[in-house]
Amino acid sequence: MRGYTLLLTALEAFRARLRSDDPERGDVPGWVMITVMTAALVLAILIPFRQAIVDAVQNALDSVTSAG
């Protein structure tokens, strides 16, 4: 019976959330913009410094695997 009550409570909370204009729900275009800008920033860093990043990661992995 407790599981049934919990399920009904969760469904009611979900229905109330869908009906209301909750300011905490977020802004989809804003999140899309943040995602695109983050991807652009990663590419802007990765393209000119790709070889340096690969070398640094390779050196780190080599130092960990050869320490045994």
Coordinates of all heavy atoms in Angstrom, one line a residue:
M1 N 0.8 -1.2 0.0 CA 0.0 0.0 0.0 C 0.9 1.3 0.0 O 0.5 2.3 -0.6 CB -0.9 -0.1 1.2 CG -2.0 1.0 1.2 SD -3.1 0.7 -0.1 CE -4.4 1.8 0.3
R2 N 2.0 1.2 0.7 CA 2.9 2.3 0.7 C 3.4 2.7 -0.6 O 3.6 3.9 -1.0 CB 4.0 2.1 1.7 CG 5.0 3.2 1.8 CD 6.1 2.8 2.7 NE 7.3 3.7 2.4 CZ 7.9 4.4 3.3 NH1 7.6 4.3 4.5 NH2 8.9 5.1 2.9
G3 N 3.8 1.7 -1.4 CA 4.3 1.9 -2.8 C 3.2 2.6 -3.7 O 3.5 3.5 -4.5
Y4 N 2.0 2.2 -3.5 CA 0.9 2.8 -4.3 C 0.7 4.3 -3.9 O 0.6 5.1 -4.8 CB -0.4 2.0 -4.0 CG -1.6 2.6 -4.7 CD1 -1.7 2.4 -6.1 CD2 -2.6 3.2 -4.1 CE1 -2.8 2.9 -6.8 CE2 -3.7 3.7 -4.7 CZ -3.8 3.5 -6.1 OH -4.9 4.0 -6.8
T5 N 0.8 4.6 -2.6 CA 0.7 6.0 -2.2 C 1.9 6.8 -2.7 O 1.7 7.9 -3.1 CB 0.7 6.0 -0.6 OG1 -0.4 5.2 -0.2 CG2 0.5 7.4 -0.1
L6 N 3.1 6.2 -2.7 CA 4.2 6.9 -3.2 C 4.1 7.2 -4.7 O 4.4 8.3 -5.2 CB 5.5 6.1 -2.9 CG 6.8 6.7 -3.3 CD1 7.1 8.0 -2.5 CD2 7.9 5.7 -3.1
L7 N 3.6 6.2 -5.4 CA 3.4 6.4 -6.8 C 2.4 7.4 -7.1 O 2.6 8.3 -8.0 CB 2.9 5.0 -7.5 CG 2.6 5.1 -9.0 CD1 3.9 5.4 -9.8 CD2 2.0 3.8 -9.4
L8 N 1.3 7.5 -6.4 CA 0.2 8.5 -6.6 C 0.8 9.9 -6.3 O 0.5 10.8 -7.0 CB -1.0 8.2 -5.8 CG -1.9 7.1 -6.2 CD1 -3.1 6.9 -5.3 CD2 -2.4 7.3 -7.7
T9 N 1.6 10.0 -5.2 CA 2.2 11.3 -4.9 C 3.1 11.7 -6.0 O 3.1 12.9 -6.3 CB 2.9 11.1 -3.5 OG1 2.0 10.6 -2.5 CG2 3.5 12.5 -3.1
A10 N 4.0 10.8 -6.5 CA 4.9 11.2 -7.5 C 4.2 11.6 -8.8 O 4.6 12.6 -9.5 CB 5.8 10.0 -7.8
L11 N 3.1 10.9 -9.2 CA 2.4 11.3 -10.4 C 1.7 12.6 -10.2 O 1.6 13.4 -11.1 CB 1.3 10.2 -10.7 CG 1.9 8.9 -11.3 CD1 0.8 7.9 -11.4 CD2 2.5 9.2 -12.6
E12 N 1.2 12.9 -9.0 CA 0.5 14.2 -8.8 C 1.5 15.3 -8.8 O 1.3 16.4 -9.4 CB -0.2 14.2 -7.4 CG -0.9 15.5 -7.1 CD -1.9 15.9 -8.1 OE1 -2.6 15.0 -8.7 OE2 -2.1 17.1 -8.4
A13 N 2.7 15.1 -8.3 CA 3.8 16.1 -8.4 C 4.2 16.4 -9.8 O 4.4 17.5 -10.2 CB 5.0 15.7 -7.5
F14 N 4.3 15.3 -10.6 CA 4.7 15.4 -12.0 C 3.6 16.2 -12.8 O 3.9 17.1 -13.6 CB 4.9 14.0 -12.6 CG 5.3 14.1 -14.0 CD1 6.6 14.6 -14.4 CD2 4.5 13.6 -15.0 CE1 7.0 14.6 -15.7 CE2 4.9 13.6 -16.3 CZ 6.1 14.1 -16.7
R15 N 2.4 15.9 -12.5 CA 1.3 16.6 -13.2 C 1.2 18.1 -12.8 O 1.0 18.9 -13.7 CB -0.1 15.9 -12.9 CG -1.2 16.5 -13.7 CD -2.5 15.7 -13.6 NE -2.9 15.6 -12.2 CZ -3.5 14.6 -11.6 NH1 -3.8 13.5 -12.4 NH2 -3.9 14.6 -10.4
A16 N 1.5 18.4 -11.6 CA 1.5 19.8 -11.1 C 2.6 20.5 -11.8 O 2.5 21.7 -12.1 CB 1.6 19.8 -9.6
R17 N 3.8 19.8 -11.9 CA 4.9 20.5 -12.5 C 4.7 20.8 -14.0 O 5.1 21.8 -14.5 CB 6.1 19.6 -12.4 CG 7.4 20.2 -13.0 CD 8.5 19.9 -12.1 NE 9.7 20.3 -12.8 CZ 10.5 21.3 -12.4 NH1 10.2 22.0 -11.3 NH2 11.6 21.7 -13.0
L18 N 4.0 19.9 -14.7 CA 3.7 20.1 -16.1 C 2.7 21.2 -16.3 O 2.8 21.9 -17.3 CB 3.2 18.8 -16.7 CG 4.3 17.7 -16.9 CD1 3.6 16.5 -17.5 CD2 5.4 18.2 -17.8
R19 N 1.8 21.4 -15.4 CA 0.7 22.4 -15.5 C 1.2 23.8 -15.2 O 0.8 24.8 -15.7 CB -0.4 22.1 -14.6 CG -1.4 21.2 -15.2 CD -2.6 21.0 -14.3 NE -2.3 20.0 -13.3 CZ -2.7 20.1 -12.1 NH1 -3.4 21.1 -11.6 NH2 -2.4 19.1 -11.2
S20 N 2.2 23.9 -14.2 CA 2.5 25.2 -13.8 C 3.6 25.9 -14.6 O 4.3 25.2 -15.3 CB 3.0 25.1 -12.3 OG 4.2 24.4 -12.3
D21 N 3.7 27.2 -14.5 CA 4.8 27.9 -15.1 C 5.9 28.2 -14.1 O 6.1 29.3 -13.6 CB 4.3 29.3 -15.7 CG 3.3 29.1 -16.8 OD1 3.5 28.2 -17.6 OD2 2.4 30.0 -17.0
D22 N 6.6 27.1 -13.8 CA 7.6 27.1 -12.8 C 8.8 27.9 -13.3 O 9.4 27.5 -14.3 CB 8.0 25.7 -12.4 CG 8.9 25.6 -11.3 OD1 9.2 26.6 -10.6 OD2 9.4 24.5 -11.0
P23 N 9.3 28.9 -12.6 CA 10.4 29.7 -13.1 C 11.7 28.9 -13.0 O 12.7 29.2 -13.6 CB 10.5 30.9 -12.2 CG 9.8 30.5 -11.0 CD 8.7 29.5 -11.4
E24 N 11.7 27.8 -12.3 CA 12.9 26.9 -12.1 C 13.1 25.9 -13.2 O 14.1 25.2 -13.3 CB 12.9 26.2 -10.8 CG 12.9 27.1 -9.6 CD 14.2 27.8 -9.4 OE1 15.2 27.2 -9.7 OE2 14.2 28.9 -9.0
R25 N 12.1 25.9 -14.2 CA 12.2 24.9 -15.2 C 13.3 25.2 -16.2 O 13.8 24.3 -16.9 CB 10.9 24.8 -16.0 CG 9.9 24.0 -15.1 CD 8.6 23.8 -15.9 NE 8.9 22.7 -16.9 CZ 8.1 22.4 -17.8 NH1 6.9 23.0 -17.9 NH2 8.4 21.5 -18.7
G26 N 13.7 26.4 -16.4 CA 14.8 26.7 -17.3 C 14.3 27.2 -18.6 O 13.1 27.3 -18.9
D27 N 15.3 27.6 -19.4 CA 15.1 28.2 -20.7 C 15.7 27.4 -21.7 O 17.0 27.4 -21.8 CB 15.6 29.7 -20.6 CG 15.4 30.4 -22.0 OD1 14.6 30.0 -22.7 OD2 16.2 31.3 -22.2
V28 N 15.0 26.7 -22.6 CA 15.6 25.8 -23.5 C 16.5 26.5 -24.5 O 17.6 26.1 -24.7 CB 14.5 25.0 -24.3 CG1 15.1 24.2 -25.4 CG2 13.7 24.1 -23.3
P29 N 16.1 27.7 -25.1 CA 17.1 28.3 -26.0 C 18.3 28.8 -25.3 O 19.4 28.8 -25.8 CB 16.3 29.6 -26.5 CG 14.9 29.1 -26.4 CD 14.8 28.3 -25.2
G30 N 18.2 29.1 -24.0 CA 19.4 29.5 -23.2 C 20.3 28.3 -23.1 O 21.6 28.5 -23.2
W31 N 19.8 27.1 -22.8 CA 20.6 26.0 -22.6 C 21.2 25.6 -23.9 O 22.4 25.1 -24.0 CB 19.8 24.8 -22.0 CG 19.6 25.0 -20.6 CD1 18.4 25.3 -20.0 CD2 20.6 24.9 -19.5 NE1 18.6 25.4 -18.6 CE2 19.9 25.2 -18.3 CE3 21.9 24.7 -19.5 CZ2 20.6 25.2 -17.1 CZ3 22.6 24.7 -18.3 CH2 21.9 25.0 -17.1
V32 N 20.5 25.7 -25.0 CA 21.1 25.4 -26.3 C 22.2 26.3 -26.6 O 23.3 25.9 -27.1 CB 20.0 25.5 -27.4 CG1 20.6 25.4 -28.8 CG2 19.0 24.4 -27.2
M33 N 22.1 27.6 -26.3 CA 23.1 28.6 -26.6 C 24.4 28.2 -25.7 O 25.5 28.3 -26.2 CB 22.7 30.0 -26.3 CG 23.7 31.1 -26.6 SD 23.1 32.7 -26.2 CE 23.1 32.7 -24.4
I34 N 24.2 27.9 -24.5 CA 25.3 27.5 -23.6 C 26.0 26.3 -24.1 O 27.3 26.2 -24.2 CB 24.8 27.3 -22.2 CG1 24.4 28.6 -21.5 CG2 25.9 26.6 -21.3 CD1 23.7 28.5 -20.2
T35 N 25.3 25.3 -24.6 CA 25.9 24.1 -25.2 C 26.7 24.4 -26.4 O 27.8 23.9 -26.6 CB 24.8 23.0 -25.5 OG1 24.0 22.8 -24.3 CG2 25.4 21.8 -26.0
V36 N 26.1 25.2 -27.3 CA 26.8 25.5 -28.6 C 28.1 26.4 -28.3 O 29.1 26.1 -28.8 CB 25.9 26.3 -29.5 CG1 26.6 26.9 -30.7 CG2 24.8 25.3 -30.0
M37 N 28.0 27.3 -27.3 CA 29.1 28.1 -27.0 C 30.2 27.3 -26.3 O 31.4 27.5 -26.6 CB 28.7 29.3 -26.1 CG 27.9 30.3 -26.8 SD 27.3 31.6 -25.8 CE 28.8 32.4 -25.3
T38 N 29.8 26.3 -25.5 CA 30.8 25.4 -24.9 C 31.5 24.6 -25.9 O 32.8 24.4 -25.9 CB 30.1 24.5 -23.8 OG1 29.5 25.4 -22.9 CG2 31.1 23.6 -23.2
A39 N 30.8 24.1 -26.9 CA 31.4 23.3 -27.9 C 32.3 24.1 -28.8 O 33.4 23.7 -29.1 CB 30.3 22.7 -28.8
A40 N 31.9 25.4 -29.0 CA 32.8 26.3 -29.8 C 34.1 26.6 -29.0 O 35.2 26.7 -29.6 CB 32.1 27.6 -30.1
L41 N 34.0 26.8 -27.7 CA 35.1 27.1 -26.9 C 36.1 25.9 -26.9 O 37.3 26.0 -27.0 CB 34.7 27.4 -25.5 CG 35.8 27.8 -24.5 CD1 36.5 29.0 -25.0 CD2 35.2 28.0 -23.1
V42 N 35.5 24.6 -26.8 CA 36.4 23.4 -26.8 C 37.1 23.3 -28.1 O 38.3 23.1 -28.2 CB 35.5 22.2 -26.5 CG1 36.3 20.9 -26.8 CG2 35.0 22.2 -25.1
L43 N 36.4 23.6 -29.2 CA 37.1 23.5 -30.5 C 38.1 24.6 -30.7 O 39.2 24.4 -31.2 CB 36.0 23.6 -31.6 CG 35.2 22.4 -31.9 CD1 34.1 22.7 -32.9 CD2 36.0 21.2 -32.3
A44 N 37.8 25.8 -30.1 CA 38.8 26.9 -30.3 C 40.1 26.6 -29.5 O 41.1 27.0 -29.9 CB 38.2 28.2 -29.7
I45 N 40.0 25.8 -28.4 CA 41.1 25.4 -27.7 C 41.8 24.2 -28.3 O 43.0 24.1 -28.4 CB 40.8 25.2 -26.2 CG1 40.3 26.5 -25.5 CG2 41.9 24.5 -25.4 CD1 39.7 26.3 -24.1
L46 N 41.0 23.3 -28.7 CA 41.5 22.0 -29.2 C 42.3 22.2 -30.6 O 43.3 21.6 -30.7 CB 40.4 21.0 -29.4 CG 40.8 19.6 -29.8 CD1 41.7 19.0 -28.8 CD2 39.5 18.8 -30.0
I47 N 41.8 23.0 -31.5 CA 42.3 23.0 -32.8 C 43.8 23.5 -32.8 O 44.7 22.8 -33.3 CB 41.5 23.9 -33.7 CG1 40.2 23.1 -34.1 CG2 42.2 24.2 -35.0 CD1 39.1 23.9 -34.8
P48 N 44.1 24.7 -32.2 CA 45.5 25.1 -32.2 C 46.5 24.3 -31.3 O 47.6 24.3 -31.5 CB 45.5 26.6 -31.8 CG 44.2 26.8 -31.1 CD 43.3 25.7 -31.6
F49 N 45.9 23.7 -30.2 CA 46.7 23.1 -29.2 C 46.6 21.6 -29.2 O 46.9 20.9 -28.2 CB 46.4 23.7 -27.8 CG 46.7 25.1 -27.7 CD1 45.6 26.0 -27.6 CD2 48.0 25.6 -27.7 CE1 45.8 27.4 -27.5 CE2 48.2 27.0 -27.6 CZ 47.1 27.9 -27.5
R50 N 46.1 21.0 -30.3 CA 45.8 19.6 -30.3 C 47.0 18.7 -30.0 O 47.0 17.8 -29.2 CB 45.2 19.2 -31.6 CG 44.7 17.8 -31.7 CD 44.0 17.4 -33.0 NE 44.8 16.3 -33.5 CZ 45.2 16.2 -34.8 NH1 44.9 17.2 -35.6 NH2 45.9 15.2 -35.2
Q51 N 48.1 19.0 -30.7 CA 49.3 18.2 -30.5 C 49.9 18.3 -29.1 O 50.3 17.4 -28.5 CB 50.4 18.6 -31.6 CG 51.5 17.6 -31.6 CD 51.1 16.2 -32.0 OE1 50.3 16.0 -32.8 NE2 51.6 15.2 -31.2
A52 N 49.8 19.5 -28.6 CA 50.3 19.7 -27.2 C 49.5 19.0 -26.2 O 50.0 18.4 -25.2 CB 50.4 21.2 -26.9
I53 N 48.2 18.9 -26.4 CA 47.3 18.2 -25.5 C 47.5 16.7 -25.6 O 47.6 16.0 -24.6 CB 45.8 18.6 -25.8 CG1 45.5 20.0 -25.5 CG2 44.8 17.7 -25.1 CD1 44.2 20.6 -25.9
V54 N 47.6 16.2 -26.9 CA 47.9 14.8 -27.1 C 49.2 14.4 -26.4 O 49.3 13.4 -25.8 CB 47.9 14.5 -28.6 CG1 48.4 13.1 -28.8 CG2 46.5 14.6 -29.1
D55 N 50.3 15.2 -26.6 CA 51.6 14.9 -26.0 C 51.5 14.9 -24.5 O 52.1 14.1 -23.8 CB 52.6 15.9 -26.5 CG 53.0 15.8 -27.9 OD1 52.7 14.7 -28.5 OD2 53.5 16.8 -28.5
A56 N 50.8 15.9 -23.9 CA 50.7 16.0 -22.5 C 49.9 14.7 -21.9 O 50.4 14.2 -20.9 CB 49.9 17.2 -22.1
V57 N 48.9 14.3 -22.5 CA 48.1 13.2 -22.1 C 49.0 11.9 -22.3 O 49.0 11.0 -21.4 CB 46.8 13.1 -22.8 CG1 46.1 11.7 -22.5 CG2 45.9 14.2 -22.5
Q58 N 49.7 11.8 -23.4 CA 50.5 10.6 -23.6 C 51.6 10.5 -22.6 O 51.9 9.5 -22.0 CB 51.1 10.7 -25.0 CG 51.8 9.4 -25.4 CD 50.9 8.2 -25.5 OE1 49.8 8.3 -26.1 NE2 51.2 7.1 -24.9
N59 N 52.3 11.7 -22.3 CA 53.3 11.7 -21.2 C 52.7 11.3 -19.9 O 53.4 10.6 -19.1 CB 54.0 13.1 -21.2 CG 54.8 13.4 -22.3 OD1 55.3 12.4 -23.0 ND2 55.1 14.6 -22.6
A60 N 51.6 11.8 -19.6 CA 50.9 11.4 -18.3 C 50.6 9.9 -18.2 O 50.9 9.3 -17.2 CB 49.7 12.2 -18.1
L61 N 50.1 9.4 -19.3 CA 49.8 8.0 -19.3 C 51.1 7.1 -19.3 O 51.1 6.1 -18.6 CB 49.0 7.6 -20.5 CG 47.5 8.1 -20.6 CD1 46.9 7.9 -21.9 CD2 46.7 7.5 -19.4
D62 N 52.1 7.6 -20.0 CA 53.4 6.8 -20.0 C 54.0 6.8 -18.6 O 54.5 5.8 -18.1 CB 54.3 7.4 -21.0 CG 54.0 7.1 -22.4 OD1 53.1 6.2 -22.6 OD2 54.5 7.8 -23.3
S63 N 53.9 8.0 -17.9 CA 54.5 8.0 -16.5 C 53.7 7.1 -15.5 O 54.3 6.6 -14.6 CB 54.5 9.5 -16.0 OG 53.3 10.0 -15.8
V64 N 52.4 7.0 -15.8 CA 51.6 6.2 -14.8 C 51.9 4.7 -15.2 O 52.0 3.9 -14.2 CB 50.1 6.5 -15.0 CG1 49.3 5.5 -14.2 CG2 49.9 7.9 -14.4
T65 N 51.9 4.3 -16.4 CA 52.0 2.9 -16.8 C 53.4 2.4 -16.6 O 53.7 1.2 -16.4 CB 51.6 2.7 -18.2 OG1 52.3 3.5 -19.1 CG2 50.1 2.9 -18.4
S66 N 54.5 3.2 -16.7 CA 55.8 2.8 -16.6 C 56.3 2.9 -15.1 O 57.5 2.6 -14.9 CB 56.7 3.6 -17.5 OG 56.8 4.9 -17.1
A67 N 55.5 3.3 -14.2 CA 55.9 3.5 -12.8 C 56.0 2.2 -12.1 O 56.4 2.1 -10.9 CB 55.0 4.5 -12.1
G68 N 55.4 1.1 -12.7 CA 55.3 -0.2 -12.0 C 56.5 -1.0 -12.0 O 57.4 -1.4 -11.5

